[in-house]
Amino acid sequence: MFATRQRVGCLARQLQRTTRRHASDAHGHHKPAEVNESFGTGSIVFVSVVFGGALVYQFIPKKGDESMISNLIDKYRSRPEDWERINSLHTKVMEQAGYDRNLFENASHKHRFVDVSYPEALQSHAPRNVRAGQLRNLDDVVEHYRQQHLKDEERKAKKLAEQQ
């Protein structure tokens, strides 16, 4: 057991010695420091600005020519002529749509009732604060406009028959 303790103590002293590092270990035998000397960022930027300037100078348009950048800007710029053309096309389309709607609206329908999309639209509102007698049955109003519509349709049909 005594021999084992001596051996462990010896190993412990050797481990401590290997982990210590002192400045005096080198004894003046220094290796020269390895320095990676390359171009700095300033010189790289300078060279790239010079070559970039030469490249840009080659693409500058000559006198009388238009540059690609101004063509691109003009492509997306709105001009009064463009708006005039767009507005005239829009006007033509709306006139045609009005003509088509008039054509379909004035077609003869015997079962057509009222010009509103649904009769409840005349009295659609929130159902609170309603006084007694305020809401009215509108069946007689709907029937009146239905009869008026049928009379107009008959008058139009007679007028068309007389013209032909």
Side-chain angles (χ1 to χ4, degrees), residues 101-109 112 153 156:
R101 180 174 180 169
N102 191 16
L103 187 68
F104 287 119
E105 288 289 324
N106 291 330
S108 176
H109 296 294
R112 187 167 169 200
E153 289 294 319
K156 289 177 189 175

Side-chain angles (χ1 to χ4, degrees), residues 5-158:
R5 279 187 191 174
Q6 282 181 342
R7 189 74 180 142
V8 169
C10 184
L11 282 174
R13 282 190 296 264
Q14 285 179 355
L15 284 176
Q16 284 180 352
R17 198 176 291 162
T18 58
T19 57
R20 280 192 213 165
R21 301 229 181 236
H22 298 290
S24 62
D25 285 346
H27 299 294
H29 302 289
H30 292 294
K31 285 180 160 179
E34 293 183 20
V35 178
N36 186 8
E37 294 182 9
S38 66
F39 292 109
T41 55
S43 59
I44 292 174
V45 168
F46 175 74
V47 169
S48 63
V49 165
V50 169
F51 283 120
L55 187 66
V56 167
Y57 184 73
Q58 289 217 341
F59 290 110
I60 291 177
K62 310 297 184 259
K63 288 186 179 179
D65 290 343
E66 291 186 15
S67 68
M68 293 186 311
I69 296 172
S70 63
N71 286 339
L72 186 66
I73 291 171
D74 286 342
K75 183 178 175 182
Y76 291 105
R77 183 185 301 162
S78 66
R79 296 185 187 97
E81 302 89 25
D82 295 340
W83 282 107
E84 184 178 343
R85 184 177 53 83
I86 289 169
N87 289 338
S88 65
L89 287 174
H90 184 70
T91 304
K92 286 180 186 177
V93 167
M94 294 310 292
E95 287 174 354
Q96 184 65 37
Y99 174 76
D100 293 343
R101 180 174 180 169
N102 191 16
L103 187 68
F104 287 119
E105 288 289 324
N106 291 330
S108 176
H109 296 294
K110 292 288 183 186
H111 300 294
R112 187 167 169 200
F113 294 110
V114 189
D115 284 342
V116 293
S117 59
Y118 55 97
E120 293 84 12
L122 296 174
Q123 55 185 353
S124 63
H125 57 275
R128 53 185 172 272
N129 296 333
V130 178
R131 290 175 291 179
Q134 183 178 357
L135 296 180
R136 179 171 177 241
N137 189 3
L138 294 177
D139 289 341
D140 56 340
V141 176
V142 171
E143 186 60 32
H144 168 74
Y145 282 108
R146 187 176 155 283
Q147 292 299 328
Q148 188 176 359
H149 174 71
L150 290 176
K151 286 179 188 176
D152 285 344
E153 289 294 319
E154 288 174 8
R155 182 183 53 81
K156 289 177 189 175
K158 285 181 186 177

